Amino acid sequence: MNDQNVIHTHQAGKYLVKVINDKCIGAASCVAIAPNVFKLNEENIAEIISQDDADDNKLLAAQSCPTSAVEVIDTTTGELVWPK
Ligand code: SF4
C-alpha cells in the first residue's frame, strides 16, 4: 500500500457550473470545449459529469453556449459569474 501516491486529489477550482435544462438546445459547444465536464444525454441536453476542469475553461464553455444555458457560480462568494 502506498498512500503517499494519493497526492493529486482533483482540484475542481472555485467555479461550479450548472446546466439550465430548459435553455439547452443541444448545440454541444460546451461539450467540445470541456468534455470532462459536459456530455449530452439521450435527449440531447447537456449534463454535468464532473466539475473537474480549470475555472477558465469552464467559463469559456459557458460563454460558448448560444442560449446561455450554462451558469457559472463562484463557490467562494456564491456570486453568479456567468451569464452576466
Ligand atoms: S452549449 Fe449550451 S445549448 Fe449547447 S449543449 Fe451546451 S448547454 Fe446545451
Side-chain angles (χ1 to χ4, degrees):
M1 285 297 281
N2 191 351
D3 290 338
Q4 281 157 325
N5 282 341
V6 192
I7 42 172
H8 52 107
T9 318
H10 286 296
Q11 251 308 344
K14 63 178 186 171
Y15 286 176
L16 179 89
V17 286
K18 285 195 211 171
V19 176
I20 312 301
N21 289 4
D22 291 353
K23 288 191 180 178
C24 176
I25 57 166
S29 44
C30 58
V31 181
I33 292 174
N36 280 352
V37 177
F38 301 92
K39 74 160 200 185
L40 289 190
N41 68 16
E42 311 76 51
E43 277 120 42
N44 258 356
I45 301 296
E47 258 176 31
I48 306 293
I49 48 174
S50 88
Q51 295 288 337
D52 189 15
D53 200 352
D55 286 342
D56 283 358
N57 206 51
K58 288 197 238 179
L59 182 59
L60 201 65
Q63 289 172 337
S64 79
C65 176
T67 61
S68 300
V70 180
E71 286 188 347
V72 182
I73 293 134
D74 184 332
T75 56
T76 61
T77 62
E79 183 199 345
L80 184 66
V81 180
W82 187 265
K84 295 272 185 196

